[in-house]
Amino acid sequence: MTTLYVRFLLAPMYEAALPRLIGLLGEFSPTVEALPPDAALVDLGGAVRYFGRDAVELAAVIRVRALALYGVECVIGAGPGPMLARMAARTASPGVTRVVPGDPGAVAEFLAGQPVAALPGVGAATARTLCEYGLDTLDRVAAAPQGTLQRLTTARVGRELHEKARGVDRTRVTPNAATRSTAAERPFPRDELDPYRHRRALLSLADELGARLRDGKQVCRSLTLTVRYADRSTTTRSRTLPEPTAHTAALSTAAYRMYETLGLQRARVRGLGLRAEGLRPVEGCAHQLTFDPADERARALEAVADRARARFGPGAIVPGRLAA
């Protein structure tokens, strides 16, 4: 099995392009796993036979199409499984596909000498523990007995370390029709200093994301705000919501609070982006009753607005602040 790990070099403000890029990958293989906000795994097992091209040639076509159609460069790693493809992509550069051959000798040569933290799934705490006992590279971890690794970590982690350090990867590319995040952005026609216009853009983003989530019968667990400045630098803030929701008022309130924590003073803002993360089906998600008539009326009006938009278009009903 040949797997590609494709990381699109998206600016933080343009994460909403990921679904279209995932669709591009779907033209080469039906087995595509989206990894928001900017990457994907592609199983090329059938594509290599169907197109009569190897992984490097297919990766070159993907790179050219992503650049020509969407103006997005990408970094691609290829390997006999998702783990090795990810690790190959870390050392790849734009325009060059890093390939790990499938034979055991080449895999062992690729892994030898790499730091243990380079192994997917190994966090800072586990890496620190292993380094304290001299197991700082993957070839040393591979040479250690499995029982030793299990005593230093846990039974499951030790077993996985023992296998992965030898190049054994039991994970598979899992197509995920439902994305785990969705994003929207609002670039300004010029560098914007007015906080009022910043807040209008945030309300517009929350309204768009809320309508999109409700239409897909989904709720989100957290929000991430991205502010892009005139010098192309960015600032991000994330907030976990009190409960999973698709309610526009809750989303806009969280976005306002994140914006306020930035304390922007006459900042030249080029654009704002909002990403809803931790998406899940609305079925089974609880809603805390507030016994607040205003909240109930707002949710009832929201349902009416959704039906009007579905019939007459997305601009049929908008918040009053956005009507001007």
Side-chain angles (χ1 to χ4, degrees):
M1 177 184 70
T2 303
T3 303
L4 291 184
Y5 178 83
V6 184
R7 184 170 65 85
F8 300 103
L9 302 182
L10 296 170
M13 289 298 303
Y14 301 101
E15 295 171 7
L18 183 62
R20 297 193 294 274
L21 293 167
I22 297 300
L24 168 65
L25 298 178
E27 298 176 6
F28 294 86
S29 171
T31 310
V32 179
E33 181 178 352
L35 302 173
D38 60 359
L41 286 167
V42 187
D43 183 351
L44 290 182
V48 170
R49 295 189 296 270
Y50 180 82
F51 292 104
R53 298 288 186 271
D54 61 19
V56 175
E57 293 172 323
L58 291 175
V61 176
I62 290 171
R63 182 180 292 107
V64 169
R65 289 193 179 182
L67 189 59
L69 297 176
Y70 303 106
V72 175
E73 183 59 273
C74 50
V75 172
I76 303 178
M83 179 190 76
L84 292 170
R86 286 173 182 261
M87 297 180 69
R90 290 180 179 177
T91 58
S93 58
V96 178
T97 302
R98 178 68 188 275
V99 181
V100 180
D103 62 280
V107 171
E109 181 180 355
F110 172 76
L111 294 175
Q114 294 211 37
V116 67
L119 203 63
V122 175
T126 301
R128 185 166 53 251
T129 299
L130 294 172
C131 290
E132 289 175 353
Y133 288 88
L135 303 175
D136 55 344
T137 60
L138 292 181
D139 51 332
R140 293 178 177 177
V141 173
Q146 179 175 324
T148 300
L149 298 175
Q150 290 177 323
R151 284 193 297 272
L152 294 177
T153 55
T154 64
R156 181 184 63 82
V157 173
R159 182 177 64 254
E160 291 180 355
L161 283 171
H162 189 260
E163 293 180 345
K164 290 181 177 181
R166 289 171 166 76
V168 178
D169 183 15
R170 301 189 184 278
T171 61
R172 293 293 180 267
V173 180
T174 305
N176 47 354
T179 58
R180 290 172 289 182
S181 70
T182 182
E185 61 270 341
R186 292 291 183 274
F188 293 112
R190 60 179 182 275
D191 298 339
E192 187 58 67
L193 288 77
D194 188 354
Y196 174 76
R197 294 185 181 275
H198 297 167
R199 294 176 70 89
R200 285 187 78 240
L202 290 175
L203 177 59
S204 175
L205 290 168
D207 186 59
E208 177 182 338
L209 289 181
R212 193 185 303 172
L213 292 172
R214 294 190 298 273
D215 183 62
K217 297 185 178 354
Q218 292 179 306
V219 292
C220 69
R221 192 70 186 88
S222 62
L223 284 179
T224 296
L225 169 67
T226 301
V227 182
R228 190 180 187 198
Y229 304 102
D231 62 356
R232 299 186 180 275
S233 63
T234 58
T235 301
T236 59
R237 289 290 185 274
S238 296
R239 180 179 292 267
T240 300
L241 301 171
E243 63 181 20
T245 186
H247 187 30
T248 296
L251 298 177
S252 61
T253 298
Y256 291 154
R257 289 178 177 173
M258 287 188 289
Y259 172 80
E260 290 165 359
T261 62
L262 296 175
L264 300 180
Q265 300 293 331
R266 303 291 294 172
R268 298 169 59 197
V269 176
R270 183 70 55 85
L272 296 168
L274 198 63
R275 186 171 72 249
E277 300 177 308
L279 304 192
R280 64 182 70 175
V282 68
E283 293 84 0
C285 290
H287 165 54
Q288 177 65 48
L289 297 177
T290 62
F291 299 104
D292 181 2
D295 181 70
E296 295 302 323
R297 285 195 299 269
R299 292 178 182 271
L301 288 172
E302 194 172 67
V304 172
D306 287 342
R307 290 195 294 270
R309 289 167 172 170
R311 183 172 182 178
F312 300 108
I317 295 181
V318 297
R321 191 179 299 177
L322 304 178

